[in-house]
Amino acid sequence: MILIQERLQGEPYKLLIGCILCNLTKGSKALPILKKLFALYPTVEDIANSKQDDLVQILMPLGFQNRRAATLIKFSKGWILASEEDYLEDLPGVGKYAVDSYRLFVHNDWSVEPDDKELVAYIKRNKQCHTY
């Protein structure tokens, strides 16, 4: 099974958006919505400048669409303004799962100790390949 984070590791802000959308839903359900979202809004600036009602329509199949849409816009505006990755936790919608994913997939930091069962399983499956 390929995690959304694996697909998006080369695009850090998209990886974090994927994590935001995976909150309270399965990756398999979020992936088609992410593809549609990024097809319509390919850059962080596009999402930051989007209309919440337009995002709500895209996010509806995931539930919590109003909250998710507002969070994506706030996150995107925060990402644009952020100057250092040290403040990831301060960005709207970014919690431990997203920070752990960011550290693991963007920074290749295998010392991450996630709580998420899918990240734990991923590390168990792949950590030996990344041990020197």
Side-chain angles (χ1 to χ4, degrees):
M1 172 176 69
I2 296 177
L3 299 178
I4 285 175
Q5 296 92 319
E6 290 177 89
R7 298 170 192 257
L8 299 173
Q9 63 189 4
E11 299 177 274
Y13 87 89
K14 287 184 178 183
L15 180 141
L16 291 171
I17 287 175
C19 291
I20 291 169
L21 293 190
C22 283
N23 283 329
L24 301 173
T25 193
K26 294 183 180 206
S28 59
K29 191 171 179 184
L31 186 58
I33 304 303
L34 275 171
K35 287 180 180 181
K36 183 175 183 179
L37 178 70
F38 294 142
L40 295 169
Y41 302 94
T43 69
V44 68
E45 291 83 8
D46 291 331
I47 295 174
N49 296 319
S50 67
K51 293 182 181 167
Q52 184 170 332
D53 290 340
D54 294 339
L55 291 180
V56 164
Q57 295 304 310
I58 296 167
L59 300 172
M60 199 170 290
L62 298 178
F64 305 106
Q65 60 271 10
N66 293 307
R67 185 182 74 182
R68 290 180 199 267
T71 299
L72 289 183
I73 292 169
K74 288 177 189 172
F75 163 80
S76 297
K77 288 178 179 179
W79 178 268
I80 292 167
L81 296 174
S83 59
E84 296 194 28
E85 294 172 358
D86 294 337
Y87 302 106
L88 281 178
E89 298 92 357
D90 295 331
L91 292 172
V94 176
K96 182 175 177 5
Y97 170 68
V99 172
D100 289 347
S101 294
Y102 191 91
R103 286 178 53 205
L104 180 61
F105 291 98
V106 174
H107 289 295
N108 202 29
D109 179 356
W110 289 86
S111 69
V112 171
E113 295 181 10
D115 296 330
D116 179 77
K117 66 179 181 170
E118 297 297 333
L119 288 180
V120 169
Y122 177 84
I123 289 172
K124 283 182 181 177
R125 282 192 314 267
N126 295 287
K127 192 169 189 174
Q128 63 193 1
C129 299
H130 298 277
T131 307
Y132 302 107

